[in-house]
Amino acid sequence: MDGCRHNGAVTATSERRAHLVVLAGELFAEKGFRATTVREIADAAGILSGSLYHHFDSKESIGDEILQGFLNDVLADYRAAVDTGDDPRAVLETIVRTSTGTLARHRAALAMLQNDWTYFSGQPRFGYLRKALQEIEKIWITQFEEGKRAGVFRADLDAKLTYRLLRDILWIPVHWQPGNQWSTPQIVDAFLSLLFHGINEKP
Amino acid sequence: MDGCRHNGAVTATSERRAHLVVLAGELFAEKGFRATTVREIADAAGILSGSLYHHFDSKESIGDEILQGFLNDVLADYRAAVDTGDDPRAVLETIVRTSTGTLARHRAALAMLQNDWTYFSGQPRFGYLRKALQEIEKIWITQFEEGKRAGVFRADLDAKLTYRLLRDILWIPVHWQPGNQWSTPQIVDAFLSLLFHGINEKP
DNA sequence: GTCTATAGCAAGATAGAC
DNA sequence: GTCTATCTTGCTATAGAC
């Protein structure tokens, strides 16, 4: 179970494990969780499929590890933005700016969440997924409602609908190929200016 | 190959076939194409898996039929909007309004395109997918550029980036459960007002 | 920590009876 | 047009040698 008690190789082992998780995540993101085989993961790592089970007890454990790491990080972003106590518009801008980086770092996890949501969310083991998304929804809606009361957001805004639209919009660029055409800040700016101004020259 | 030469049952046969395609599409959309088994499709139709092969020669043929029908319809919407010869803002609004209905009717196909894009687009058989998306992209970008020249759209708009963002945004609501909370017109209006005005009270 | 080997099962697809 | 039955292949996971 841990073959690294001597010679201080604990770190090396963890890194190996973490590397395997990254490789698996990329495949899960590209082909879907269920469509990715343990053999493909092992191939990518240059070992045989059976050897994977020295590090993990199942394919689902790997998925679990990826998704938990992602949601912890993204929730931290949201909570920190709220804790600034800034006004709604600033909080939302902070959320967009900080969480976009987190989303980019966890590109694979987010793709898994989008593609295999029905699969994961249907299992008790992944119940934390629903909880996390509910907390995120509540934060957006609270900020919208406060902003509407303060008169800075349009009064006819449907908070829940707008949240769903915006959350999914924020999650889009992650679907795009890694290392392509646009940088993360570019995408964020495009999104924010769309969000606050629309595409018109003189609104 | 066609067991309906007598008694005028051709239509009934086609309807049966079409019904199977719909059932399969719903499963593909929910679970992903590769993760859906022919046995599940057959179960949904109340027959055995082997019997499916009387109607289709492979699982991929079913996917092919679904995707082709979808892209034909959506391309027709785009071409019709351009052919009005209206100004860019009107063309885009027409595209949004007409294609949203088409997207909703082909919910399953669009979900397949989003979830299993890497799988389908990698196969020669599905080469028409790339072609269709390229035509769609060209239409958006052309309208953006014309609108910028005419001074109605912001001059700093990155046409290609904005297109990618908007196209994917338009495709989002289809991911949402069928028959839920918001009607299609509601979603379209929320999208359009976001597009043209942003979320601010006084922009 | 990786290998060989394989168990146990589910996938897509086929052949022929009815 | 569906069923029975089955082939072939590929999947997750395990056991034990090295």
Side-chain angles (χ1 to χ4, degrees):
Chain A
M1 298 224 166
D2 72 281
C4 47
R5 231 166 309 154
H6 21 285
N7 85 2
V10 176
T11 304
T13 301
S14 306
E15 276 168 15
R16 178 102 183 91
R17 212 189 122 92
H19 180 57
L20 291 171
V21 172
V22 171
L23 288 177
E26 280 162 9
L27 289 166
F28 292 156
E30 193 193 347
K31 307 165 59 85
F33 180 78
R34 280 166 296 187
T36 301
T37 71
V38 292
R39 274 189 253 268
E40 288 169 325
I41 300 169
D43 277 358
I47 59 177
L48 290 190
S49 65
S51 307
L52 272 181
Y53 290 84
H54 173 77
H55 304 276
F56 313 95
D57 44 278
S58 72
K59 195 173 99 170
E60 298 211 336
S61 296
I62 308 180
D64 201 4
E65 215 163 299
I66 295 170
L67 292 173
Q68 284 201 39
F70 166 55
L71 287 168
N72 287 341
D73 281 7
V74 88
L75 280 178
D77 289 338
Y78 273 78
R79 289 168 183 155
V82 171
D83 289 348
T84 60
D86 286 344
D87 64 286
R89 174 175 162 145
V91 167
L92 290 185
E93 182 157 347
T94 301
I95 285 174
V96 171
R97 293 204 180 272
T98 60
S99 74
T100 303
T102 304
L103 263 45
R105 274 185 290 115
H106 291 270
R107 214 185 53 83
L110 183 47
M112 288 166 64
L113 212 58
Q114 292 176 294
N115 290 337
D116 296 301
W117 168 256
T118 52
Y119 175 71
F120 289 122
S121 68
Q123 296 178 250
R125 169 172 199 169
F126 294 98
Y128 60 87
L129 294 178
R130 285 188 185 279
K131 275 193 195 163
L133 290 191
Q134 271 160 16
E135 183 175 342
I136 289 174
E137 171 172 354
K138 198 176 173 196
I139 290 175
W140 275 93
I141 289 182
T142 302
Q143 298 302 318
F144 279 144
E145 297 298 355
E146 280 183 27
K148 281 163 71 171
R149 267 197 301 278
V152 294
F153 292 156
R154 288 163 35 208
D156 65 332
L157 220 57
D158 179 326
K160 199 163 180 180
L161 174 54
T162 308
Y163 151 71
R164 264 317 296 267
L165 224 36
L166 290 181
R167 190 208 68 180
D168 284 1
I169 290 170
L170 263 178
W171 287 10
I172 284 174
V174 181
H175 242 117
W176 302 354
Q177 298 288 9
N180 75 355
Q181 234 161 342
W182 301 287
S183 68
T184 302
Q186 253 182 309
I187 295 170
V188 180
D189 287 338
F191 174 77
L192 283 174
S193 78
L194 203 63
L195 181 57
F196 291 125
H197 306 110
I199 66 171
N200 286 351
E201 175 59 40
K202 293 257 180 280
Chain B
M1 301 228 163
D2 72 278
C4 47
R5 231 164 308 155
H6 21 285
N7 84 3
V10 176
T11 303
T13 301
S14 307
E15 277 168 15
R16 178 100 183 92
R17 214 187 119 92
H19 179 56
L20 291 172
V21 172
V22 171
L23 287 178
E26 281 162 9
L27 288 166
F28 292 155
E30 193 193 347
K31 306 164 61 85
F33 180 77
R34 281 167 296 188
T36 302
T37 70
V38 292
R39 282 179 176 85
E40 287 169 325
I41 300 169
D43 278 358
I47 59 177
L48 291 188
S49 65
S51 307
L52 273 181
Y53 289 83
H54 172 78
H55 304 277
F56 312 95
D57 44 280
S58 71
K59 196 173 99 169
E60 297 211 336
S61 296
I62 307 180
D64 201 5
E65 216 163 299
I66 295 172
L67 291 174
Q68 284 200 39
F70 166 55
L71 287 169
N72 286 341
D73 281 6
V74 89
L75 280 178
D77 289 338
Y78 272 78
R79 288 168 184 155
V82 171
D83 289 347
T84 59
D86 286 345
D87 63 286
R89 171 171 166 151
V91 168
L92 290 185
E93 181 156 350
T94 302
I95 285 175
V96 172
R97 293 203 180 274
T98 60
S99 73
T100 302
T102 304
L103 263 42
R105 272 185 292 114
H106 291 270
R107 213 185 54 84
L110 184 46
M112 288 165 65
L113 212 57
Q114 292 177 293
N115 290 336
D116 296 300
W117 168 256
T118 52
Y119 176 71
F120 289 122
S121 68
Q123 296 178 251
R125 168 171 199 171
F126 294 99
Y128 59 88
L129 294 178
R130 286 188 186 278
K131 274 193 197 166
L133 290 192
Q134 272 160 16
E135 182 174 342
I136 289 175
E137 170 172 355
K138 199 178 172 195
I139 290 175
W140 276 94
I141 289 182
T142 303
Q143 297 302 317
F144 279 145
E145 298 298 354
E146 280 183 27
K148 281 163 71 172
R149 266 197 302 276
V152 293
F153 293 156
R154 288 162 37 207
D156 66 331
L157 219 58
D158 178 327
K160 199 163 181 181
L161 174 54
T162 308
Y163 150 72
R164 265 315 298 266
L165 225 35
L166 290 181
R167 190 208 68 182
D168 284 1
I169 291 170
L170 263 177
W171 287 10
I172 283 174
V174 180
H175 243 119
W176 304 352
Q177 298 288 10
N180 74 356
Q181 233 160 342
W182 301 288
S183 68
T184 302
Q186 251 181 310
I187 295 170
V188 179
D189 286 338
F191 174 78
L192 283 174
S193 78
L194 203 61
L195 180 57
F196 291 126
H197 304 111
I199 66 171
N200 286 350
E201 175 58 41
K202 294 258 178 277

